[in-house]
Amino acid sequence: METFTEWKKSEVSFDDNTNATIEYRIALVAKKGLGCHYELEVKNTSDQKLNIKMKSNYYDKLVKSHFGDEIKETLKPGKTVSGRFVGQGCKKEIGVAKTDYEHCIACDLTLSIYVTK
């Protein structure tokens, strides 16, 4: 809880046969009510300006539907963007004792990063 993962490097290839690199990390920063709050950071480690789109997707068990958020940002070389994403509707299992951290990571939330020029 509240601790970022190590930075992970990813190489991106574009249709014009050029490449770029980004780094990213994530942290579960809080559990408030039925919401699990995550912080996602993306760093442009390439030498070119990149368009970054971060998207979340989760299934809310209470209203039985899929939801998500999206953040778009243009990043110059060496710059970082940070986004807060919330997964909601994570019901506790009856008779199962879990910490807030265990409860949140058992809930279905995906985060995706899209990179374009």
Side-chain angles (χ1 to χ4, degrees):
M1 216 47 171
E2 300 180 22
T3 303
F4 276 97
T5 62
E6 295 294 321
W7 285 100
K8 294 183 182 180
K9 186 180 277 191
S10 183
E11 188 166 322
V12 182
S13 299
F14 300 105
D15 291 338
D16 64 358
N17 294 324
T18 61
N19 297 319
T21 56
I22 63 163
E23 293 184 19
Y24 62 93
R25 66 183 185 169
I26 188 169
L28 174 58
V29 293
K31 179 164 183 339
K32 298 176 183 174
L34 296 177
C36 296
H37 297 248
Y38 291 85
E39 192 81 22
L40 176 62
E41 291 185 343
V42 178
K43 184 189 316 181
N44 180 359
T45 55
S46 73
D47 60 356
Q48 53 193 317
K49 182 172 68 171
L50 300 174
N51 298 310
I52 305 294
K53 179 169 52 171
M54 301 180 289
K55 291 180 76 171
S56 69
N57 188 346
Y58 66 92
Y59 182 75
D60 188 322
K61 295 177 183 177
L62 300 175
V63 296
K64 297 179 174 40
S65 190
H66 289 273
F67 296 94
D69 294 303
E70 182 177 298
I71 296 172
K72 294 180 182 179
E73 189 74 37
T74 300
L75 281 183
K76 292 180 180 178
K79 298 296 181 183
T80 301
V81 63
S82 181
R84 171 78 52 111
F85 294 93
V86 180
Q88 303 217 68
C90 300
K91 293 193 297 188
K92 290 190 175 187
E93 299 173 44
I94 297 173
V96 178
K98 290 183 180 179
T99 65
D100 284 348
Y101 177 81
E102 291 170 328
H103 180 72
C104 284
I105 63 169
C107 193
D108 182 28
L109 172 79
T110 58
L111 296 173
S112 302
I113 302 167
Y114 301 89
V115 180
T116 57
K117 290 202 297 186

